[in-house]
């Protein structure tokens, strides 16, 4: 909605969203866009998303016209290629006897082929380093519109990012009465998004406490180019008073 209000070749280079209430897939969402600034190089927009009369999300986004500049980036981690790894649906059999919910989650249809480098972060059962790496590729044909590609990447960036903050504690979303939710989400786009090829999504959690956790992530193209950076704060609250989870989490 914000991108459609921006004239010319400018595309989103940063966004910051706050998730205020849970949304429902069965009801329409109304987006209201405020034009805060339109300059020669940058434009800024504020978006309010509402559903059934209540605000569910607020977002600020900045857009920039293409220009050249100084460039540097931290190197992509050296990890096995996606062809050497199994997709989530292929991993489902490993969990059939341990967690029916986890197996059902791994088998859920997805628009993306997701191949974790090791045990998926959201299924880690033993304490470990708060780090996660997954290869991701769109199963269908990628859209030509660069703005739409960035929107798809923003949607995908929420995947398993918060799970890294649970790994040091030996808990995950399936084995405890965990109350988890995204609180706020920031993203910086650096390059056009090559959705028609594999992307490496690396994430880490530098801190958790007070029922919240921080997740940081970076998308790299297969040839090592940094595509986008992500930071998220989320709710990771242990609720032993709640019944064990019976629903299956969302799959992108």
């Amino acid at each position: 909605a914000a991108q459609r209000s921006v004239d010319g070749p400018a595309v989103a280079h940063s966004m910051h969203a706050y998730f205020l209430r849970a949304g429902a897939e069965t009801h329409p969402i109304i987006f209201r866009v405020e034009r805060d600034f339109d300059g020669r190089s940058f434009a800024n927009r504020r978006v309010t998303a509402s559903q059934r009369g209540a605000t569910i999300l607020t977002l600020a986004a900045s857009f920039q016209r293409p220009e050249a500049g100084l460039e540097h980036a931290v190197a992509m981690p050296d990890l096995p290629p996606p062809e050497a790894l199994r997709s989530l649906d292929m991993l489902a059999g490993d969990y059939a006897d341990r967690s029916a919910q986890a197996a059902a989650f791994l088998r859920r249809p997805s628009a993306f082929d997701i191949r974790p480098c090791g045990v998926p972060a959201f299924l880690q059962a033993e304490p470990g380093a708060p780090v996660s790496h997954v290869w991701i590729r769109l199963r269908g044909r990628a859209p030509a519109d660069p703005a739409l590609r960035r929107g798809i990447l923003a949607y995908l960036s929420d995947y398993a990012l918060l799970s890294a903050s649970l790994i040091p504690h030996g808990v995950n979303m399936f084995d405890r009465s965990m109350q988890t939710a995204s609180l706020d989400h920031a993203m910086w786009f650096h390059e056009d998004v090559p959705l028609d090829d594999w992307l490496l999504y690396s994430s880490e959690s530098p801190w958790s406490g007070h029922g919240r956790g921080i997740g940081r992530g970076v998308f790299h193209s297969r040839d090592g180019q940094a595509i986008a950076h992500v930071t998220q704060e989320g709710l990771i609250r242990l609720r032993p008073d709640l019944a064990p989870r019976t629903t299956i989490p969302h799959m992108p």
Side-chain angles (χ1 to χ4, degrees), residues 15-31:
M15 52 153 274
H16 196 142
Y18 284 94
F19 300 91
L20 307 179
R21 295 179 177 88
E25 296 178 351
T26 55
H27 292 79
I29 300 175
I30 298 173
F31 296 96

Side-chain angles (χ1 to χ4, degrees), residues 15-23 29-32 47-51 54-60 183 185:
M15 52 153 274
H16 196 142
Y18 284 94
F19 300 91
L20 307 179
R21 295 179 177 88
I29 300 175
I30 298 173
F31 296 96
R32 178 174 179 174
V47 181
T48 301
S50 60
Q51 193 173 60
T55 301
I56 62 173
L57 175 142
T58 60
L59 176 143
L183 296 176
H185 194 93

Side-chain angles (χ1 to χ4, degrees), residues 94-165:
D94 297 349
Y95 294 88
D97 296 332
R98 287 182 274 174
S99 171
Q101 291 174 313
F105 173 77
L106 294 170
R107 291 194 182 100
R108 287 192 72 167
S110 172
F112 301 91
D113 187 347
I114 301 173
R115 303 190 180 189
C117 301
V119 178
F122 53 84
L123 291 174
Q124 290 273 9
E126 300 294 333
V131 177
S132 171
H133 302 281
V134 294
W135 287 98
I136 305 176
R137 183 177 64 179
L138 186 67
R139 292 187 187 274
R141 178 177 295 180
D145 184 356
L148 185 54
R149 287 172 178 254
R150 294 184 184 213
I152 293 173
L153 192 69
Y155 165 75
L156 182 60
S157 67
D158 188 52
Y159 172 77
L161 183 58
L162 195 58
S163 296
S165 63

